[in-house]
Amino acid sequence: MAVLAYSLGKREINQHFTIKNAKLISLIVVALLLLFHTASRFYGVGDSCEWLLSRGRFLGENVWQPYGCMMHKYKTTEAKTCLAEKRVAFVGDSRIRQLFYSFIKIIDPQQREDGNKVIGDRTRGPQDFLWHPEANNSMKERLISWTRETSAKPDVVILGAATWSIKLHSGSTETLQQYKVNLTAIAVHLEKLADPGEVYWVLQDPVNEEMLSENRKMITNQQLELYNEAAAYVLNSSKRNGRSKVKLLAASRQAALETITQSVDGLHLPEGTLSVGSMVLMNSVCNKLLRPIDGSCCQTLRPPNFLQKLAACFFLGSALVFLVLHILGSNRHRRPVPPDVESLEEKKPATATTPLGPKAPFQALCRMGVIMGYFYLCDRADVFMKEQKFYTHYTFFIPLIYIFVLGVFYSENSKETKLLNREQTDEWKGWMQLVILIYHISGASAFIPVYMHVRVLVAAYLFQTGYGHFSFFWLKGDFGLYRVCQVLFRLNFLVLVLCMVMDRPYQFYYFVPLVTFWFVVIYATMAMWPQILQKKANSSGIWHLGVLAKLLGLLLFICFFAFSQGVFVSIFSVWPISKLFELNGSIHEWWFRWKLDRFAVIHGMLFAFIYLVLQKRQVLSEGKGENLFSAKISNLLLFLSVVFFITYSIWASSCKTKTECNEMHPYISVILAFILIRNIPGYARSIYSSFFAWFGKISLELFICQYHIWLAADTKGILVLIPGNPSLNIMVSTFIFVCVAHEISLITNDLAQVVIPKDSMALLKRLGALGLISLVVVAFKDLMLTV
């Protein structure tokens, strides 16, 4: 899919309709998938609660993946919060008692079992286990007593029984029939307990017949299957509105099919399988109350808030205006070529093209509204499925190798051979973004060596921010408000729309606040008196010292805040600035992200300054095929760069904890080593990967869009458009994801030409109106939170 998307994009120059057709295909696919998933919910597939309780698979050792939804791993504090006012009763035999202790261990990990041979009731706080090994009158009387005495009635009841009936009566047919009769009588009282409580009947797990003791040999998997069928028939026969009040827990049975060989006695399950059953129960009971973001099973939909409704009305209104203008008369326009604001060789917006007509912005907003509808359906509506991530070396390194082979295959000659030329920097951003995407979807942050190398890639993006913006200001000297607003709009437009549509804080999309903050810092550094540009520095070398003094002042500024967390927190906690940097009511995440790569931007600025000075003095050899330096210096620098690169990789692989690595990360950088390896040899500068460069041009959109339409649950899981086929699902979702990112890039460019006027007075008026609206929105959100 990545190859297809790239190929279509590459042919756009000569055959513009091709990329349009790709997007049309993606739109049709989304419509068909939407129809499929909507129809599935109404015709037999069920909801996420049924999926959680009935089906799933192991992703790895003791890592259970329910069908179609994400299962949250509850911590002790979360479990206590959920069950604080709930009484939970387990009723059954020794296998139910095992499940009871596994459930209790989530609440209190220090709890110990009494052993499988001990008979009797158990009480652990508001959680009880009641010994009723058979579905008989004894169990029925217990249930009747609960229905009569509301004060003793549990909120959640988990039951299961069969093995003792088989054992005591040698698996006779008469006993099975009596089991059905008894369960039918019990089912009436179970339904009463299920209103308004919750009742779960645990289907019988399989046994390892070879390991069973002689007095249990009659407990066969065939017998257990007959009892499970009987229980399912009786309890499902009382369905109302297509759903039984008594829920059947079959997931632990499915998990046990793969792990029963690890059983000590052939009857009782290993601890890992028990934890699956207990965690499934915890998700079924607690998800609707605590609503964990990575627990999509059994969660009810939150109604859209006021801002989400307002956004929907705005996009609908734009669509209506566009429709009216379209009916009144067509207004053709040419789309300007989008400048890349994060490029290392920045271009001014195209001005020679035909100006956008009045219909163009509404058409762009209409397209954006359709895309935002897809975002909402993917990650806020209960339409498409979600699954949790699970890291293996295979899921990370195999796609990585595949992508890099493609990148090398699509190599072309560069139009220019300067160090860090436009094509090369697009390539750099492209392959880094693809690595980050693979890193996120594979859950590779769990593997520290990969985590540390990806941290370098994020730092490299910030390095490019410093390098690109410094180069622009140094060479062009354009500090005008128009240019600043263009950059800020292109960086923030998509994120600000997502903040409203997806109800997420600005800091959630951490990279955009980070590059926005550093752009403002770079601008302030370069624009403040005295403004030192290349033209001025050429007249006198003393101005070079002035630039270095500015960079030194910026370095001291960074170090001061890095070692003064209290000052940092107090500044960014001031309203309304705090609303830009808070996440979950705290700026800890902003502090962490800022501190982690605090030197990357100034590193890029310093490198840009040194390079541009050397280039001006013609110290570097940047001709086609020429090494950057003399042969001896080039070989020495290449050798040192490779050694440093290898040394860093060894150090990153030896890190024991992320905390330890993160403390050292700001002071160790291999970015310069990479630049030298990539640029010193003349033949390396003369070629670039057009495959990577194409993705590099939409790298910002790819990074942001992945949060909701490639990943899911705010990056905690994976979006599932094609259930049951992970490979096909990744192909389809990736194709749609890349098409959406490309379209958003074009929409942002269209709107930037309209929203940011060149007239200074008009621009100031719009900024004033925008500031006023922003303050009203922030104040309104604060008011809604306090109500």
Side-chain angles (χ1 to χ4, degrees), residues 124-291:
R124 295 292 185 274
Q127 290 78 41
D128 300 319
F129 168 74
L130 304 173
W131 177 260
H132 291 281
E134 291 189 84
N136 54 18
N137 285 332
S138 174
M139 181 182 287
K140 185 174 74 171
E141 290 299 322
R142 172 68 70 174
L143 299 177
I144 291 173
S145 68
W146 282 338
T147 57
R148 289 176 178 173
E149 300 178 19
T150 56
S151 60
K153 180 181 177 181
D155 300 288
V156 182
V157 181
I158 297 103
L159 312 90
T163 56
W164 274 66
S165 297
I166 298 172
K167 176 183 175 181
L168 294 177
H169 303 282
S170 301
S172 66
T173 305
E174 293 79 8
T175 305
L176 177 60
Q177 295 302 320
Q178 188 60 47
Y179 179 83
K180 292 181 181 179
V181 172
N182 292 346
L183 201 54
T184 302
I186 288 172
V188 178
H189 305 290
L190 292 178
E191 286 195 16
K192 292 180 180 179
L193 289 171
D195 189 14
E198 296 181 63
V199 177
Y200 300 85
W201 184 271
V202 182
L203 295 182
Q204 293 299 301
D205 300 318
V207 295
N208 187 351
E209 297 179 15
E210 297 178 358
M211 295 187 65
L212 291 173
S213 59
E214 287 301 321
N215 63 338
R216 292 174 175 168
K217 285 294 184 182
M218 69 292 296
I219 306 175
T220 64
N221 287 319
Q222 183 179 6
Q223 283 285 327
L224 292 173
E225 192 60 33
L226 292 173
Y227 277 74
N228 282 337
E229 290 175 0
Y233 175 79
V234 171
L235 297 175
N236 285 331
S237 62
S238 60
K239 281 187 176 181
R240 295 181 183 179
N241 299 322
R243 182 176 299 179
S244 174
K245 287 187 176 182
V246 180
K247 302 172 184 178
L248 297 178
L249 176 57
S252 58
R253 172 181 172 274
Q254 189 172 355
L257 289 172
E258 300 184 35
T259 61
I260 190 60
T261 54
Q262 302 171 21
S263 172
V264 176
D265 57 8
L267 179 66
H268 297 97
L269 299 179
E271 183 63 33
T273 311
L274 288 169
S275 65
V276 170
S278 58
M279 199 59 73
V280 165
L281 283 172
M282 191 68 75
N283 275 257
S284 182
V285 172
C286 296
N287 280 4
K288 62 181 74 71
L289 298 175
L290 300 187
R291 306 182 68 88

Side-chain angles (χ1 to χ4, degrees), residues 373-407:
Y374 179 62
F375 271 77
Y376 190 89
L377 290 174
C378 286
D379 213 16
R380 288 299 178 268
D382 190 20
V383 177
F384 300 120
M385 299 177 180
K386 302 175 179 67
E387 290 188 353
Q388 54 229 35
K389 304 175 187 178
F390 179 72
Y391 175 75
T392 63
H393 294 323
Y394 174 85
T395 57
F396 176 75
F397 287 104
I398 295 301
L400 195 66
I401 293 170
Y402 173 69
I403 286 295
F404 272 94
V405 168
L406 287 175

Side-chain angles (χ1 to χ4, degrees), residues 290-317:
L290 300 187
R291 306 182 68 88
I293 192 64
D294 61 342
S296 63
C297 303
C298 284
Q299 277 208 41
T300 54
L301 287 177
R302 284 181 176 174
N305 61 27
F306 175 77
L307 290 179
Q308 288 173 313
K309 293 177 182 177
L310 187 64
C313 291
F314 175 77
F315 285 121
L316 286 173

Side-chain angles (χ1 to χ4, degrees), residues 217-510:
K217 285 294 184 182
M218 69 292 296
I219 306 175
T220 64
N221 287 319
Q222 183 179 6
Q223 283 285 327
L224 292 173
E225 192 60 33
L226 292 173
Y227 277 74
N228 282 337
E229 290 175 0
Y233 175 79
V234 171
L235 297 175
N236 285 331
S237 62
S238 60
K239 281 187 176 181
R240 295 181 183 179
N241 299 322
R243 182 176 299 179
S244 174
K245 287 187 176 182
V246 180
K247 302 172 184 178
L248 297 178
L249 176 57
S252 58
R253 172 181 172 274
Q254 189 172 355
L257 289 172
E258 300 184 35
T259 61
I260 190 60
T261 54
Q262 302 171 21
S263 172
V264 176
D265 57 8
L267 179 66
H268 297 97
L269 299 179
E271 183 63 33
T273 311
L274 288 169
S275 65
V276 170
S278 58
M279 199 59 73
V280 165
L281 283 172
M282 191 68 75
N283 275 257
S284 182
V285 172
C286 296
N287 280 4
K288 62 181 74 71
L289 298 175
L290 300 187
R291 306 182 68 88
I293 192 64
D294 61 342
S296 63
C297 303
C298 284
Q299 277 208 41
T300 54
L301 287 177
R302 284 181 176 174
N305 61 27
F306 175 77
L307 290 179
Q308 288 173 313
K309 293 177 182 177
L310 187 64
C313 291
F314 175 77
F315 285 121
L316 286 173
S318 300
L320 289 174
V321 173
F322 168 70
L323 185 61
V324 170
L325 291 175
H326 183 73
I327 293 172
L328 292 177
S330 64
N331 185 273
R332 297 184 179 181
H333 67 279
R334 292 174 60 189
R335 173 180 283 129
V337 178
D340 182 359
V341 298
E342 285 302 305
S343 156
L344 304 190
E345 295 181 21
E346 305 208 30
K347 292 184 177 181
K348 290 184 178 180
T351 56
T353 54
T354 305
L356 296 176
K359 190 173 72 172
F362 294 102
Q363 183 185 33
L365 288 173
C366 186
R367 302 199 314 269
M368 194 68 179
V370 172
I371 291 173
M372 287 301 104
Y374 179 62
F375 271 77
Y376 190 89
L377 290 174
C378 286
D379 213 16
R380 288 299 178 268
D382 190 20
V383 177
F384 300 120
M385 299 177 180
K386 302 175 179 67
E387 290 188 353
Q388 54 229 35
K389 304 175 187 178
F390 179 72
Y391 175 75
T392 63
H393 294 323
Y394 174 85
T395 57
F396 176 75
F397 287 104
I398 295 301
L400 195 66
I401 293 170
Y402 173 69
I403 286 295
F404 272 94
V405 168
L406 287 175
V408 173
F409 181 77
Y410 286 99
S411 295
E412 298 181 7
N413 291 326
S414 298
K415 294 178 182 177
E416 52 184 334
T417 58
K418 292 193 300 183
L419 183 144
L420 291 180
N421 59 70
R422 176 67 176 269
E423 293 161 330
Q424 187 186 130
T425 53
D426 282 341
E427 170 201 90
W428 191 6
K429 288 188 292 183
W431 71 255
M432 287 196 302
Q433 185 56 61
L434 292 177
V435 172
I436 290 173
L437 290 176
I438 296 171
Y439 165 83
H440 282 155
I441 203 165
S442 64
S445 61
F447 187 46
I448 292 180
V450 173
Y451 167 81
M452 287 308 301
H453 283 83
V454 170
R455 290 259 54 84
V456 173
L457 302 189
V458 176
Y461 268 106
L462 294 174
F463 175 93
Q464 290 190 47
T465 297
Y467 178 88
H469 291 306
F470 179 93
S471 299
F472 179 87
F473 291 129
W474 175 256
L475 297 173
K476 304 293 184 181
D478 183 1
F479 297 99
L481 185 61
Y482 171 74
R483 197 265 172 182
V484 172
C485 291
Q486 282 274 325
V487 173
L488 294 178
F489 181 86
R490 294 174 192 280
L491 287 176
N492 289 275
F493 169 68
L494 174 57
V495 164
L496 293 178
V497 173
L498 287 176
C499 287
M500 293 187 65
V501 174
M502 307 305 290
D503 190 26
R504 290 282 84 193
Y506 180 65
Q507 182 58 35
F508 175 75
Y509 307 94
Y510 74 91

